[in-house]
Amino acid sequence: MEYKLSDQVYHAVLDGEVDLGLVAYPEPRASVTTLPFFEDELVLICRRDHPLAQRDRVVLRDLEGCRFVAFESEIPTRKAIDALLQQHDLRLDIRMECDNIEILKKMVEVGLGVSLVPLLSAREEARMGKLCIQRLSDHTVRRPLAIIHRKGKTLSRPQRAFVELLTTEGAELLRRDLENDDLIYGANRTSPAVCA
């Protein structure tokens, strides 16, 4: 497995460097087959001592004027966040940008700002008490994931088995894991979010 930016994943698949790619916010391309895989949710992350961490509910408008750590502007997740903010006429104080989720989470941990990130990527830090996860109570922001391969390419048996595993069992296991994660959703399931 190798991490690349979304455009690089498409190019690697089209150039035959890799057989399969995994992308967020898949875009239709004539020469690519797209297989929907899973929908993650974007959630707010902040330090445990941040004022937003202390709230029972966080709404999108609460982010107005917050110091924010963002993905770089060409990353599909950032484009989706920017579109949501523009739709609601919200402005954030973007302090830092980066293209790597691990670095972004570290920036939030050291107090450079808050961020919106995929839930799956922040659960471990919440479990360890490094970050607080808050779901937006007035918006559910979905982040679709898909497997891509070059159109017309015949996948080998192991490749087909891997795709089948991800699109059926893998997606279902992720869904169930998120539903049963008391750390993220709260043991009583009535609170929109909890801090770890």
Side-chain angles (χ1 to χ4, degrees):
M1 300 247 341
E2 187 178 347
Y3 172 80
K4 291 179 179 278
L5 297 177
S6 187
D7 279 343
Q8 294 172 329
V9 174
Y10 280 101
H11 288 299
V13 166
L14 290 172
D15 294 344
E17 294 172 28
V18 297
D19 296 309
L20 299 168
L22 184 61
V23 295
Y25 296 100
E27 53 190 64
R29 295 194 182 190
S31 47
V32 172
T33 297
T34 303
L35 306 167
F37 161 52
F38 186 71
E39 281 193 349
D40 201 353
E41 178 182 356
L42 294 183
V43 294
L44 176 77
I45 58 169
C46 56
R47 285 171 50 112
R48 296 181 67 192
D49 59 356
H50 191 279
L52 291 176
Q54 312 311 314
R55 295 197 182 177
D56 290 333
R57 297 180 51 208
V58 174
V59 296
L60 186 63
R61 179 74 47 197
D62 292 334
L63 303 184
E64 177 82 50
C66 277
R67 289 184 308 162
F68 199 81
V69 179
F71 290 104
E72 288 183 353
S73 58
E74 74 275 2
I75 293 178
T77 302
R78 168 69 183 276
K79 291 177 182 177
I81 292 169
D82 285 350
L84 176 67
L85 296 173
Q86 184 176 7
Q87 177 185 355
H88 294 278
D89 196 30
L90 290 176
R91 304 206 191 303
L92 305 179
D93 179 10
I94 296 179
R95 296 291 177 105
M96 302 283 288
E97 296 180 344
C98 69
D99 66 358
N100 183 291
I101 184 72
E102 297 304 319
I103 294 171
L104 188 145
K105 290 185 292 184
K106 290 292 183 198
M107 289 181 194
V108 173
E109 278 181 44
V110 300
L112 294 176
V114 301
S115 193
L116 289 170
V117 300
L119 174 58
L120 287 172
S121 70
R123 292 179 351 153
E124 190 58 33
E125 288 80 6
R127 281 192 186 102
M128 294 168 58
K130 294 179 178 180
L131 292 173
C132 175
I133 292 175
Q134 287 277 36
R135 298 177 75 205
L136 298 175
S137 62
D138 61 340
H139 287 81
T140 301
V141 187
R142 299 286 179 204
R143 179 178 180 255
L145 301 174
I147 301 163
I148 62 169
H149 66 82
R150 197 171 63 236
K151 195 167 273 186
K153 175 177 176 43
T154 303
L155 298 178
S156 68
R157 245 170 110 195
Q159 290 166 344
R160 287 194 314 270
F162 179 69
V163 167
E164 178 72 17
L165 180 68
L166 282 181
T167 57
T168 57
E169 292 178 44
E172 182 56 30
L173 287 173
L174 284 172
R175 259 188 291 283
R176 275 191 286 169
D177 187 39
L178 288 173
E179 287 170 3
N180 295 322
D181 196 335
D182 289 343
L183 177 72
I184 303 304
Y185 294 108
N188 62 12
R189 308 233 197 285
T190 60
S191 174
V194 295
C195 292

